[in-house]
Amino acid sequence: MDDLLITVAPTGAETAKADCPQLPTTPEEVARTAAECEAAGAAMIHIHVRDASHQPTLDQSLLREWVAAVRESSSLIIQLSTGGSVHDPLDERLRVLDAEPDSCSLTMGTTNFGDDVFLNPWPFVKDLYQLALERGVAPEFELFDLGQVHALGRLIRQYGTPAGGKVHVDFVMGVPGGMPGTAPALVAGVAALPPEVTSWSATGIGRSTLSVAMASLSMGGHLRVGMEDVLTISRGVPVESNAQLVERAVDLGRIAQRTPMKPAQCRELLGLAPVGSDFATAQGHGLAQDMAPGGAIATSYETPR
Ligand code: KMH
Ligand code: ZN
């Protein structure tokens, strides 16, 4: 049976704790969630941090506290969101990498996001990618529409692939403003992937969650699930826990004859050095194989409002 990466995105930045008390919004809750989801079959966790008032934050000490809490409770590969919330400034989003995750999300372009705008201007995308390469953090390229798939090809042509040689992407589908969460949209997205891409997963927001999951499995893709993306397990029935969504993904994978990956296999899929190995040996210098010259990284941005 082929392996199946299940990534859990347990919290997100959009849902209020008051509307969804089962949403993990504290270090203790996310640590427990990580342990439960790993036991259920997840190998990676995509984290958005909340503050003591349960609001989204990019506060550096909280980022570090959450990373430490999840490392303590699980072996999951830790992916920090650099997307944050639609209100987060770009320079703070860059500094997420200071919290030393294994992986980071990296969205390939600006997207209307409901009534808001999820800003990812090209200079920011380039700076974030170069920073991830320098730090040896494995980017997961988030693709919200077809144009972003092509933008990924442009980025890789300019800066090369990560030193580990792996390029992993995630189709985020069904966001109002992005591509729809449908099988034809996924087929088009996969067909347009640059040849350097070595693995891909997909997630469908809201009611598109099941159709996207099944389309992904039918095409040999991986899955992201979690309460960042969906809050009902079936029409009108609230999700009880993130582990419940992971369990459902495992069940769907079983039907498709796919075995959930362990975190160590996920490390390999992302081109990360095995735990305990010498980073410099396994990852070169953490720089791109084909880094373009003169790519100084900006550290401050004007965030248009
Ligand atoms: N919260 C969204 C505006 C990511 O994590 O990188 C952005 C998002 C993508 O969730
Ligand atoms: Zn996210």
Side-chain angles (χ1 to χ4, degrees):
M1 291 220 284
D2 288 338
D3 294 327
L4 171 64
L5 168 63
I6 300 174
T7 299
V8 64
T11 307
E14 279 72 40
T15 301
K17 180 78 163 178
D19 295 338
C20 185
Q22 63 275 41
L23 193 74
T25 55
T26 67
E28 296 73 26
E29 287 172 350
V30 83
R32 192 165 53 246
T33 296
E36 289 169 3
C37 290
E38 183 177 4
M44 178 151 71
I45 184 166
H46 167 88
I47 297 178
H48 288 255
V49 170
R50 301 290 179 104
D51 65 17
S53 315
H54 310 288
Q55 298 302 313
T57 180
L58 296 180
D59 176 86
Q60 190 59 220
S61 61
L62 284 172
L63 283 166
R64 286 178 179 276
E65 189 181 342
W66 280 53
V67 168
V70 172
R71 287 210 198 287
E72 179 82 7
S73 72
S74 79
S75 314
L76 292 179
I77 303 304
I78 297 184
Q79 178 182 100
L80 284 179
S81 166
T82 64
S85 86
V86 290
H87 307 293
D88 287 322
L90 299 177
D91 51 357
E92 278 186 38
R93 287 169 52 193
L94 267 187
R95 283 198 291 273
V96 164
L97 268 54
D98 293 349
E100 301 178 31
D102 304 302
S103 171
C104 67
S105 59
L106 199 172
T107 296
M108 285 308 306
T110 294
T111 306
N112 283 323
F113 202 86
D115 291 339
D116 295 304
V117 177
F118 177 30
L119 267 181
N120 295 285
W122 187 243
F124 171 74
V125 169
K126 290 194 299 182
D127 287 349
L128 181 53
Y129 185 45
Q130 289 175 88
L131 194 60
L133 294 173
E134 280 182 15
R135 302 275 178 96
V137 175
E140 177 184 270
F141 299 98
E142 310 290 346
L143 306 172
F144 287 69
D145 71 30
L146 197 54
Q148 294 178 11
V149 183
H150 290 276
L152 174 61
R154 187 177 165 215
L155 187 76
I156 292 173
R157 280 194 298 280
Q158 198 167 352
Y159 294 103
T161 55
K166 299 295 174 69
V167 179
H168 177 67
V169 312
D170 181 45
F171 292 95
V172 184
M173 310 179 72
V175 168
M179 65 184 141
T182 61
L186 186 61
V187 169
V190 172
L193 285 172
E196 292 84 358
V197 170
T198 49
S199 58
W200 61 270
S201 65
T203 186
I205 305 299
R207 70 186 58 169
S208 70
T209 190
L210 272 176
S211 49
V212 168
M214 290 192 278
S216 179
L217 288 171
S218 76
M219 296 171 69
H222 300 284
L223 299 179
R224 179 178 111 173
V225 298
M227 293 172 75
E228 172 166 345
D229 300 337
V230 66
L231 294 168
T232 54
I233 194 80
S234 58
R235 193 180 291 262
V237 181
V239 169
E240 288 166 16
S241 69
N242 281 285
Q244 185 186 22
L245 291 169
V246 174
E247 283 160 12
R248 182 168 71 176
V250 171
D251 288 344
L252 293 174
R254 189 175 301 118
I255 293 167
Q257 302 193 345
R258 305 277 295 277
T259 311
M261 248 178 218
K262 299 289 181 200
Q265 294 167 284
C266 177
R267 294 191 78 82
E268 231 172 274
L269 176 128
L270 295 175
L272 291 166
V275 173
S277 69
D278 179 1
F279 171 81
T281 313
Q283 288 280 85
H285 303 291
L287 290 171
Q289 287 165 336
D290 186 21
M291 175 78 94
I297 295 171
T299 50
S300 75
Y301 294 89
E302 288 292 318
T303 303
R305 292 280 164 202

